[in-house]
Amino acid sequence: MFVTGAVPGDRVRARITKRKRAYAEARALALVEASPERVDPRVPHPGAPWQVLHYERQLAEKEHQVRDALARIGGFDVPPVEPIIPAEDPWRYRNKVEYSFGSGEDGGLVLGFHRPGRWNEIDDVGVDILASERVDALRERVKEWCRAEGLSAYDRREGTGFLRNLVVREGRRRGQLQARLVTSPGDFRSADLAAALDDADGVLWTRAAGAAETTRDGETELLAGSDVLEEELRVFGATLGFRISPEAFFQVHTEQAERLYALAAELAGLRGSERVFDLYSGIGTIALCLALRAREVLGIESVEPAVADAIENARRNEVENVRFFAGDVRTALRPLVEEAGRPDVVVVDPPRAGLSQKIVRRVLETRAGRVVYVSCNPTTLAPNARQMADAGYRLSTVRPVDMFPQTPHIECVALLERDGG
Ligand SMILES: C[S@@+](CC[C@H](N)C(=O)[O-])C[C@H]1O[C@@H](n2cnc3c(N)ncnc32)[C@H](O)[C@@H]1O
């Protein structure tokens, strides 16, 4: 039972919100008895609910939850889970934050996070202990500027108001900062805002219509600087440079991403002669890390600007043994095998929903000797790994990597090896 609004060790009264065959999800309504392990939070933050547990305790709990998911949901008697890789810096690590505009109790403009469980109430944020101080300063400047302009927050229930979100991204290693304001259709003194944010490397404005709460829709206009963010990753002593489009995914914890990719590459067991498929390849991070040690790497990704980034990233880093394809893994995998030949290694890094049974079947069809599964959700890794195990793959190792300190989210890398191959 995964209970939002509680930490391990609490006794709570909770309401079940989702019931699955192997597990359920619930929301805490009242705290009956607090966990004796609770500590005071640094600063209230709805995105950091586990900050009331010491970091060591968080790590132990995550490792335990991976083991638990694989045993209970995946039916693995003794899951081969290795010690979790902790983050060196468990605070102020996020390189991307999405803030929401709202109206405070006095009707004034606030900019912060949704109150847990309340889709229409926003709590103001003054200090965001998961983002850098630079991001804090930028957010406060945007808030003050919008207040001084008398701009109003968009109200989803009424369909009125203008300001929706502020998305801030940082290229931490390159010292880059990007601000993207998301609004309803309409106008404002955009050039003045861009001038007020003169230390940002890029200022963008997205106009989105409709009530959907997403920062991915709408038309985006560049107000100042560049629309792509520059970042670099250091893996195996090499430094790879990346450009990241506003629509593209990038791991939120840069330093831990380097560890995650190095681990994925290590588990791929490359000797230089392999053909590797990187499914869900994003801007090409994993593919480029692996290409340093493989014969060739082929990536599939559905978001076209991310594919364009991946192609450009390969060119910039002078990596010639990679190719990227825009497509849905569900339909693009079979044609890729026909065109390029069977892969020796398949890497998958899907969104939280994991792989559908059909996609697992497609992966199995490739008869790859190794499948490296990068997962941000052990409850979907577990049934996918079970399906592969039933088809003759051995789950040989699972290593959690703490990408999301102070939160219950868990990332891990698993290796599945084909028996006899
Ligand atoms: C967790 S991210 C991983 C990206 C990349 N491997 C990385 O580490 O930066 C998942 C990626 O899968 C892409 N994606 C989601 N559904 C997809 C599908 N059906 N086919 C192809 N790509 C998909 C998303 O756009 C996103 O870039």
Side-chain angles (χ1 to χ4, degrees), residues 337-358:
V337 176
E338 275 162 29
E339 196 213 300
R342 279 186 39 216
D344 303 290
V345 179
V346 172
V347 180
V348 296
D349 184 6
R352 280 181 61 75
L355 308 174
S356 66
Q357 290 189 6
K358 184 172 167 187

Side-chain angles (χ1 to χ4, degrees), residues 105-351:
E105 272 156 25
D106 60 357
L109 186 72
V110 298
L111 178 53
F113 296 110
H114 283 272
R115 190 170 296 174
R118 299 294 178 95
W119 61 274
N120 213 24
E121 284 175 41
I122 307 297
D123 285 331
D124 195 49
V125 165
V127 176
D128 179 351
I129 36 127
L130 296 190
S132 72
E133 275 146 2
R134 218 175 152 204
V135 170
D136 262 349
L138 180 108
R139 183 197 57 249
E140 292 307 299
R141 210 151 357 116
V142 171
K143 193 193 306 177
E144 288 314 318
W145 189 89
C146 291
R147 279 180 180 159
E149 289 289 299
L151 296 172
S152 61
Y154 174 68
D155 183 323
R156 268 167 80 201
R157 202 162 22 194
E158 306 287 337
T160 56
F162 185 60
L163 299 167
R164 296 184 177 217
N165 303 92
L166 174 70
V167 183
V168 188
R169 270 183 136 170
E170 256 190 315
R172 311 257 294 204
R173 288 266 156 84
R174 289 263 173 102
Q176 288 234 327
L177 189 63
Q178 181 189 75
R180 182 162 66 95
L181 191 71
V182 184
T183 71
S184 294
D187 214 354
F188 78 113
R189 296 194 313 124
S190 55
D192 282 30
L193 173 68
L197 305 180
D198 54 356
D199 71 327
D201 300 278
V203 181
L204 296 94
W205 174 23
T206 301
R207 267 169 280 197
E213 178 67 24
T214 165
T215 53
R216 275 168 306 210
D217 300 332
E219 291 287 308
T220 299
E221 184 184 323
L222 180 64
L223 299 179
S226 169
D227 61 349
V228 292
L229 194 71
E230 304 287 337
E231 184 52 306
E232 60 189 40
L233 292 172
R234 295 167 200 161
V235 182
F236 308 133
T239 300
L240 295 166
F242 293 93
R243 90 166 195 202
I244 311 167
S245 289
E247 304 85 351
F249 172 92
F250 191 74
Q251 288 286 355
V252 297
H253 195 314
T254 310
E255 297 77 19
Q256 287 300 84
E258 290 171 345
R259 296 193 170 141
L260 182 76
Y261 297 150
L263 182 61
E266 186 191 312
L267 294 182
L270 302 173
R271 285 190 292 256
S273 59
E274 296 83 359
R275 177 181 300 123
V276 181
F277 283 5
D278 176 16
L279 308 182
Y280 307 89
S281 49
I283 62 161
T285 42
I286 295 180
L288 293 184
C289 293
L290 264 50
L292 304 173
R293 296 183 165 187
R295 176 156 61 94
E296 63 171 344
V297 185
L298 301 117
I300 301 179
E301 162 64 44
S302 60
V303 172
E304 288 188 15
V307 179
D309 287 349
I311 293 168
E312 169 60 17
N313 291 332
R315 197 193 59 77
R316 282 183 182 193
N317 293 290
E318 296 175 358
V319 177
E320 288 174 358
N321 55 338
V322 291
R323 280 189 287 158
F324 294 98
F325 301 89
D328 188 323
V329 168
R330 200 156 33 102
T331 48
L333 184 50
R334 264 187 180 169
L336 188 62
V337 176
E338 275 162 29
E339 196 213 300
R342 279 186 39 216
D344 303 290
V345 179
V346 172
V347 180
V348 296
D349 184 6

